[in-house]
Amino acid sequence: MSNYIWVPIVVGVLAVAFAGYLASYVLRKDTGTPAMQKVADAIFKGAMAFLNRQYRTIALLSIVAAVVVAGVLYLLSNGSEAAKFDLAWRTAIAFLIGALCSGVAGYIGMYVAVKSNSRTASAATRSLGEALMVSLRGGAVSGFLVVALSLLGVSLIFLLYSIGNTIDKVPSLIVGFGFGASFVALFAQLGGGIYTKAADVGADLVGKVEAGIPEDDPRNPAVVADLVGDNVGDCAGRGADLFESTAAENIGAMILGVALYLATKNPGWILFPLVVRAFGLIASAIGLLYIRPSVVIEPDKAAGRDPGEIAMKQLNIGYYITCALSVIGVFVVSYLMLGGESLRSNSLPAWTWFGLAGTVGILLSIAFVYITQYYTAGTWRPVREIASATLTGPATTIITGIAVGFECTALPVLAIAAALGLSFFFGSQVTIPVSASINPGVINVGGIFGTAVATMGMLMSCAYILAMDTFGPITDNAGGITEMSGEAESVRDITDALDGVGNTTKALTKGYGIGSAALAAFLLFSAYLDVLYSYKKTPDVYRVDLANILVFIAALIGLTLIFFFSSLAIRAVGEAAKRMIEEVRRQFRENPKIMAERVEDRVDPDYARCVDISTRGALRAMILPGVVAVLTPVLVGVILGPQAEAGLLMVGTMGGIVLALVLNNGGGAWDNAKKYIEAGYLRVNADGEMVARNDTSGVVLGKKSEPHKASVVGDTVGDPFKDTAGPSLHVLIKLLSTITLVLAPLFIALHP
């Protein structure tokens, strides 16, 4: 065992300690006025009650799944009794550890995020700079914990399973860790996404459109459930999503490294993904610590400039610092671990080509940031186009939003294709002496590993990206707390500026998540074919032939699964939202004092009942799409065989990537078109045509206008797209890969 295994373990422990430092910084801050604390306490209780119930359900499902996987592998895989038993118990234990780590990461990160919201609201009474620091560092606790626990989990289980096994056997034994993480992430993302959007749709349609009251108004019975939903969907759900991303992709890259280790006897090929991600954690910490509140301009001193855009630039600079340090890190780690006299390469040293491949992955993450901003930020054409469409009503708003969603697939797919092609080319410049017993030479192993290095490069900034993502719901909650506790308009200006930044960062994270999933798709697909070859020893496994009727059928099922799964997720939101809308209307109807004219005559609505409706609806509705997602690839592999399973994996992944782009960016564009109008940027001339937002001769059409109502309808349609179905597809794509990797022995045994 190489000493390099200790690098990710030490860095992982230090990253957990760094998250502890950030948590202490946030928790030492003032919690605000008694009114702020009252609202924050209701959000905290609702969020923790939901998570407790959700994770109890997921824990039971995980135990059942682990037992089933162990039983299937023991009874039906090939080999001696001892070998089958060893594979079965190790896979089951790895599955449970992966599931536990994923749950813990999401739970702790969300706890600190919920505790950060009132502290951010309190900081907003003093300055935008302080509120920015509190919310960003609160989000960073989740970001660093998720990535550190993923890194530590994979590293430690790799170290433990190395006892009594040769290093080349271990990656296949720890695949269960990635499967467990994917399994939990799917249900966490589904449940959280259904919860948050059921509450959001109910609050928006009845509160904003029907009752005409502002967002986060305390008279809205669904407002606390909506604020709770921001946390369980965007904090816990996204944390579980990126935890399983980093774990599954890490293990897939390690499996690809096995063939190269056997050829060169250099364990660096297997351990490289762990070490390079450790460098990424260091780079992310430095990028985060760069952010300074003194650079941010307060809203009352902005002199017409958007303080939110200035704050966003600070976050972007921190991200670019992270990326620049990551480029240095990927070259250093390549030099230290991927050199060797047995390698031949064209013109440049072998490690340089892999450093370039890693740089391609880092550049892809930056490209996705720009592309996602273009389609979801109000400063660019797509969002302004949707805002203009609101002038003619909800129908044109929805039509334009769908058109933008379909359009936004082109640039990301071209960027992914370019990144895959370039990283494969760079890796293929290295000639690795692999024997036919390890790999038959059907594919270029250097090129495939180049794509794996690109994926690891993209994941190096994961902690910083996740910090920006969790920053979103913290600032959203802070705005809600500020509104509900009756703070001054100047405080709301600060939280609104941060909320606008948070909307953009949440959209960026979804783009980053699908970009990394797309890069990893090829990595994990290649790893699956490697596993098939390790059992069958025939080069035919590397040829997935769509002219084969069984492969074609499986591919068609894989593509259909993506759309059917999305339908179930969106329908679940619709059903839960319907119950929420009925409840809010009932409360307004039966208790008119909620909407009394004089403040002193008003009574509080029943927030707890709305929280309970969202909780029950989400937990009930997450089961069916989750079970369909898990059972479909299993049944295809069992009935049609391992080659057909490869067809499902390949085509299903492609469909999932494209549909997720439509849902994420389309929904984000609708949301920010609404925000564009609420910020007072929609101006029209005397002919009713939209003019530039800084054209003072134009008339402002803001909140409560007809275009605003149309934008709320569009945002409501986009909500389950971008926060339920879209993010859940990220997880589904990788779940398909981890299931096939874990159950490959079963498929081969049934179809020798």
Side-chain angles (χ1 to χ4, degrees):
M1 174 66 67
S2 169
N3 288 330
Y4 283 121
I5 187 63
W6 295 106
V7 174
I9 292 173
V10 170
V11 172
V13 171
L14 290 175
V16 171
F18 181 63
Y21 157 73
L22 295 173
S24 68
Y25 168 86
V26 172
L27 296 176
R28 284 198 308 270
K29 292 290 182 180
D30 176 54
T31 55
T33 63
M36 286 181 178
Q37 292 174 31
K38 178 184 175 184
V39 179
D41 188 52
I43 296 169
F44 176 76
K45 286 179 179 174
M48 298 312 288
F50 173 76
L51 270 200
N52 288 337
R53 287 169 66 173
Q54 184 189 42
Y55 276 118
R56 277 201 301 271
T57 305
I58 294 174
L60 288 172
L61 291 170
S62 298
I63 291 168
V64 171
V67 171
V68 170
V69 166
V72 164
L73 290 178
Y74 176 68
L75 295 172
L76 297 174
S77 60
N78 288 327
S80 65
E81 287 293 311
K84 291 196 292 185
F85 181 73
D86 188 60
L87 175 66
W89 78 260
R90 286 181 188 273
T91 302
I93 294 298
F95 178 96
L96 291 173
I97 294 173
L100 178 65
C101 288
S102 178
V104 167
Y107 209 96
I108 297 174
M110 201 212 69
Y111 177 90
V112 176
V114 176
K115 288 294 185 183
S116 303
N117 53 25
S118 64
R119 290 165 170 82
T120 300
S122 175
T125 63
R126 296 183 287 276
S127 73
L128 175 62
E130 185 184 345
L132 174 69
M133 292 298 287
V134 173
S135 50
L136 182 61
R137 292 193 169 189
V141 174
S142 175
F144 280 86
L145 264 181
V146 164
V147 179
L149 286 175
S150 165
L151 189 61
L152 277 174
V154 175
S155 302
L156 289 173
I157 198 167
F158 183 88
L159 190 63
L160 287 172
Y161 280 18
S162 298
I163 299 170
N165 281 296
T166 55
I167 189 174
D168 57 296
K169 303 292 184 191
V170 182
S172 295
L173 295 174
I174 66 171
V175 168
F177 184 94
F179 182 21
S182 299
F183 188 86
V184 169
L186 182 71
F187 286 101
Q189 185 66 73
L190 264 175
I194 294 166
Y195 181 108
T196 182
K197 291 305 105 181
D200 196 5
V201 169
D204 277 0
L205 286 184
V206 184
K208 282 185 184 178
V209 177
E210 294 182 11
I213 56 179
E215 187 167 9
D216 301 327
D217 192 296
R219 291 171 290 178
N220 193 329
V223 71
V224 170
D226 185 14
L227 294 171
V228 169
D230 290 329
N231 294 290
V232 298
D234 287 328
C235 296
R238 194 84 70 258
D241 174 4
L242 287 177
F243 179 93
E244 68 91 21
S245 289
T246 52
E249 290 156 29
N250 224 143
I251 294 167
M254 293 169 82
I255 290 172
L256 291 180
V258 168
L260 307 182
Y261 161 74
L262 292 172
T264 62
K265 301 306 176 190
N266 173 14
W269 297 104
I270 296 175
L271 298 176
F272 175 85
L274 296 172
V275 177
V276 82
R277 278 191 46 231
F279 270 74
L281 268 173
I282 296 169
S284 297
I286 295 170
L288 183 82
L289 292 173
Y290 168 81
I291 306 295
R292 292 286 179 272
S294 56
V295 184
V296 179
I297 295 176
E298 301 300 317
D300 57 350
K301 299 174 184 172
R305 292 157 67 192
D306 186 345
E309 286 182 16
I310 296 167
M312 187 70 219
K313 282 179 182 174
Q314 276 294 294
L315 298 186
N316 282 340
I317 290 169
Y319 177 62
Y320 296 141
I321 289 171
T322 299
C323 289
L325 293 173
S326 296
V327 170
I328 296 169
V330 81
F331 274 99
V332 169
V333 179
S334 297
Y335 173 74
L336 293 174
M337 300 183 72
L338 303 184
E341 296 178 2
S342 62
L343 303 182
R344 298 190 309 278
S345 65
N346 299 331
S347 65
L348 297 174
W351 61 269
T352 310
W353 291 113
F354 288 117
L356 289 170
T359 303
V360 167
I362 295 165
L363 292 175
L364 179 65
S365 71
I366 295 172
F368 259 87
V369 165
Y370 275 106
I371 292 168
T372 308
Q373 277 191 359
Y374 174 73
Y375 280 107
T376 59
T379 46
W380 301 98
R381 173 191 59 83
V383 167
R384 293 203 305 266
E385 207 172 69
I386 296 172
S388 176
T390 63
L391 295 170
T392 47
T396 48
T397 304
I398 292 168
I399 290 168
T400 307
I402 290 173
V404 167
F406 287 156
E407 177 197 328
C408 77
T409 58
L411 286 177
V413 167
L414 289 174
I416 292 163
L420 280 172
L422 269 176
S423 57
F424 186 91
F425 169 76
F426 289 143
S428 65
Q429 299 307 297
V430 181
T431 303
I432 302 165
V434 177
S435 69
S437 63
I438 300 167
N439 187 289
V442 174
I443 56 170
N444 187 306
V445 290
I448 297 292
F449 197 76
T451 66
V453 175
T455 307
M456 293 303 107
M458 189 168 187
L459 288 176
M460 289 178 80
S461 57
C462 185
Y464 190 91
I465 287 285
L466 193 51
M468 289 206 298
D469 179 67
T470 311
F471 164 88
I474 291 172
T475 55
D476 196 338
N477 272 207
I481 290 169
T482 301
E483 178 82 35
M484 293 183 72
S485 57
E487 290 297 317
E489 192 65 30
S490 59
V491 181
R492 184 72 203 204
D493 287 343
I494 288 176
T495 57
D496 279 350
L498 288 177
D499 188 23
V501 176
N503 273 333
T504 303
T505 59
K506 285 189 287 185
L508 295 183
T509 312
K510 294 185 184 84
Y512 177 86
I514 197 60
S516 67
L519 266 190
F522 189 67
L523 179 163
L524 294 168
F525 179 65
S526 302
Y528 173 66
L529 298 182
D530 269 7
V531 170
L532 294 188
Y533 183 76
S534 70
Y535 280 90
K536 290 201 162 189
K537 297 298 181 187
T538 169
D540 292 344
V541 299
Y542 288 102
R543 297 187 182 92
V544 183
D545 185 3
L546 282 172
N548 179 325
I549 187 63
L550 295 182
V551 174
F552 186 89
I553 290 168
L556 191 58
I557 291 171
L559 186 57
T560 304
L561 170 64
I562 298 301
F563 286 87
F564 184 63
F565 172 85
S566 300
S567 163
L568 292 175
I570 292 168
R571 181 181 285 115
V573 172
E575 290 297 320
K578 194 159 55 178
R579 287 190 289 273
M580 182 66 72
I581 289 167
E582 289 167 355
E583 173 60 23
V584 175
R585 284 173 177 164
R586 183 195 66 79
Q587 290 199 33
F588 282 153
R589 185 175 61 251
E590 295 180 7
N591 195 348
K593 286 188 176 180
I594 292 173
M595 297 289 288
E597 285 291 328
R598 297 196 312 161
V599 175
E600 55 269 27
D601 292 339
R602 291 177 190 165
V603 296
D604 286 341
D606 187 351
Y607 301 123
R609 184 166 173 79
C610 289
V611 170
D612 187 58
I613 284 171
S614 259
T615 300
R616 284 187 285 113
L619 293 179
R620 187 166 52 238
M622 75 179 186
I623 302 297
L624 178 59
V627 170
V628 167
V630 172
L631 288 183
T632 302
V634 175
L635 292 174
V636 166
V638 167
I639 297 169
L640 302 180
Q643 287 302 106
E645 184 77 0
L648 175 140
L649 181 56
M650 181 172 63
V651 177
T653 297
M654 291 176 184
I657 290 165
V658 173
L659 185 58
L661 286 168
V662 173
L663 297 174
N664 288 340
N665 289 347
W670 266 315
D671 188 3
N672 278 342
K674 179 194 71 174
K675 288 279 191 283
Y676 186 89
I677 294 170
E678 289 177 345
Y681 293 148
L682 178 61
R683 294 174 182 265
V684 295
N685 59 21
D687 296 327
E689 298 167 335
M690 182 176 168
V691 296
R693 71 183 194 181
N694 55 0
D695 185 345
T696 53
S697 66
V699 177
V700 175
L701 297 177
K703 293 180 180 179
K704 298 188 180 181
S705 66
E706 288 304 312
H708 178 240
K709 291 179 180 178
S711 75
V712 172
V713 174
D715 176 44
T716 302
V717 174
D719 272 339
F721 282 27
K722 69 181 173 65
D723 288 327
T724 308
S728 297
L729 282 177
H730 304 177
V731 187
L732 176 61
I733 290 166
K734 284 158 295 195
L735 182 73
L736 292 176
S737 298
T738 52
I739 286 177
T740 52
L741 282 171
V742 167
L743 295 180
L746 167 66
F747 305 151
I748 293 164
L750 294 175
H751 299 269

